[in-house]
Structures are given as C-alpha cells and as structure tokens.
C-alpha cells in the first residue's frame, strides 16, 4: 500500500498501516484475526488520533486485498467499516484452488495440499464470497487487466455479485497493469487520484 501513502496524506486523510501474522508460521485465521483486532483498536483510539470511527475505510493489496474483502464482508458491529478498497484481492478461495490447485501460498496459509470435502468448507469460510449480502459497505476494486497472479476476471465477477445484491461497487481497471501497483505509475499514473476521489465521495467531507 506504500504508493498510496503520500497521496492520502496530501488529500488530508489519516491512515494507519497495520501488520498481521504470516504463514506458514501462523496459519489462518491468524491473519484475519489481526486485521479485525486492528479495526477495533483504531475505533477504540479514534479520538486520540482525531478520526471519525464511523467513517473508516479498509484497504489492502494482494493478500491484503483478500483480507479486506473478507473483513468488510463478514464484519459485525465492532469491525464494520464505511468503505473497502481492494487492490487485486481474491474474494473466492475455492474458485482459486479449483483453478490453480490448493498448494503453494494457499496451501501454506491453511496447512493443506488438496481441495477435498474437508478443505473446501475451510476455504469457503475464509472467502468474502461466503458472506455477500445486501447492506455491505461500498467497495472499490482496483485491478490490472494484465495481472498474471490474480485473474482480472476475479474482480469483474466480484463486482457483478455485489451489484446484484445492491451493494455499491466500482472497478478501476489498470489497462496493461500487472500484479503490484509499484509498476502502475508508467501505465496509469492517474489511479492514485481516482482512488482518493472515490474515498472522498464515499466517506464524505473531512477525513
């Protein structure tokens, strides 16, 4: 998320960069537990940092995109946010495992190697796709159409699912963009301003 730090600061947003425990030392759900703990912490300390706890946006990229999709979709009153910005995240881990197998990074995160009757429910429960419903906060999806790791079509399908439920969702397509926003400056330097403009529109005046 580092490329967004300066644009957000320039636009007057307060932002927090959080960390979470990583696999394979810490299997799922450690990562999402940490994200949700961080949301609660920011809300609890909102006055200290002069931020409005009712107007928080959650943003993440790649694995962090998966986590913000999931946190935004399954939130309860203590973790609900006002907006979610997901850069090339995965919202359906079952579909990913079917397409690419259950090994690799996915296998390390869950301590699995195959997709079967035992592991499929585990991956489904860790996917935003399992929690989609009307009334979710607005989502902004940002994805390069030349992404070689997370198919661009993943976010096209996610947007369609949310739209069918009446959940506001916009998709910024980075034409020629690969996996990772560090390379986007050459092909779509305006994307940072587009993200900031969406946040301003969605969260309202003041940050």
């Amino acid at each position: 998320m580092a490329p967004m730090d300066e644009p957000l600061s320039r636009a007057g947003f307060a932002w927090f960069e959080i960390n979470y425990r990583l696999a394979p030392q810490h299997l799922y759900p450690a990562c999402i537990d940490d994200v949700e703990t961080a949301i609660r912490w920011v809300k609890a300390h909102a006055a200290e940092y002069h931020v409005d706890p009712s107007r928080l946006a959650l943003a993440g990229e790649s694995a962090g995109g998966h986590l913000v999709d999931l946190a935004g979709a399954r939130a309860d009153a203590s973790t609900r946010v006002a907006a979610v910005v997901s850069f090339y995240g995965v919202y359906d881990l079952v579909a990913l495992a079917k397409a690419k197998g259950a090994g690799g990074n996915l296998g390390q995160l869950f301590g699995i190697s195959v997709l079967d009757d035992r592991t499929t429910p585990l991956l489904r429960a860790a996917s935003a796709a399992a929690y989609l419903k009307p009334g979710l906060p607005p989502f902004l999806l940002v994805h390069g159409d030349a992404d070689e790791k997370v198919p661009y079509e993943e976010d096209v399908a996610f947007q369609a699912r949310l739209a069918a439920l009446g959940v506001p969702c916009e998709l910024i397509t980075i034409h020629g963009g690969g996996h990772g926003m560090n390379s986007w400056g050459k092909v779509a330097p305006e994307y940072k301003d587009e993200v900031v403009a969406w946040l301003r529109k969605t969260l309202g005046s003041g940050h």
Side-chain angles (χ1 to χ4, degrees), residues 43-65:
K43 288 187 175 188
H45 293 264
E48 181 180 341
Y49 290 96
H50 308 291
V51 298
D52 184 346
S54 69
R55 291 163 55 238
L56 299 179
L58 195 59
E61 53 112 15
S62 197

Side-chain angles (χ1 to χ4, degrees), residues 132-158:
L132 301 185
K133 58 187 178 296
L136 292 179
F139 278 71
L140 174 64
L141 312 177
V142 192
H143 208 138
D145 61 9
D147 194 322
E148 69 289 351
K149 293 186 178 179
V150 178
Y152 169 73
E153 291 72 25
E154 175 91 7
D155 272 345
V156 175
F158 192 19

Side-chain angles (χ1 to χ4, degrees), residues 116-140:
D116 56 23
D117 291 344
R118 180 187 69 85
T119 59
T120 297
L122 179 66
L123 296 184
R124 183 174 294 114
S127 301
Y131 306 93
L132 301 185
K133 58 187 178 296
L136 292 179
F139 278 71
L140 174 64

Side-chain angles (χ1 to χ4, degrees), residues 156-177:
V156 175
F158 192 19
Q159 184 186 33
R161 288 279 302 276
L162 290 174
L165 294 167
V167 177
C169 180
E170 294 185 31
L171 171 59
I172 295 176
T173 300
I174 309 299
H175 296 290

Side-chain angles (χ1 to χ4, degrees), residues 14-61:
W15 50 267
F16 302 79
E17 282 193 0
I18 70 168
N19 210 341
Y20 56 85
R21 288 168 289 172
L22 301 176
Q25 290 86 359
H26 303 280
L27 298 180
Y28 183 90
C31 52
I32 189 64
D33 287 346
D34 291 349
V35 170
E36 291 175 339
T37 296
I39 295 170
R40 295 184 187 103
W41 187 92
V42 170
K43 288 187 175 188
H45 293 264
E48 181 180 341
Y49 290 96
H50 308 291
V51 298
D52 184 346
S54 69
R55 291 163 55 238
L56 299 179
L58 195 59
E61 53 112 15

